Amino acid sequence: MDRTTAALTANMAALAELLADAAKVAAEAAEAMAGGNRNLAVGTLLQIEQTVPDARAIMEATLALHRVARPR
């Protein structure tokens, strides 16, 4: 496996793990909200406040690497 493919693979795995963890936290927040505990729900979401910008950064880096490294 070449370095670019290895980097793309690692980025995609990291992105998948990050988003899977965020989905679990969001589900916990939704459960708290359904149980009538708005403060807990919002507080739970704070755990993933930085996740969206981080996920976007990983995605953009992955796409940029793919664009730059592909054969011309």
Side-chain angles (χ1 to χ4, degrees), residues 10-54:
N11 282 1
M12 290 178 199
L15 182 60
E17 183 176 340
L18 183 67
L19 293 175
D21 290 345
K24 290 176 189 173
V25 172
E28 291 171 12
E31 286 180 30
M33 193 67 191
N37 196 335
R38 182 170 61 186
N39 287 337
L40 177 60
V42 173
T44 300
L45 287 179
L46 290 175
Q47 297 177 57
I48 59 171
E49 183 175 20
Q50 187 58 43
T51 301
V52 172
D54 290 348

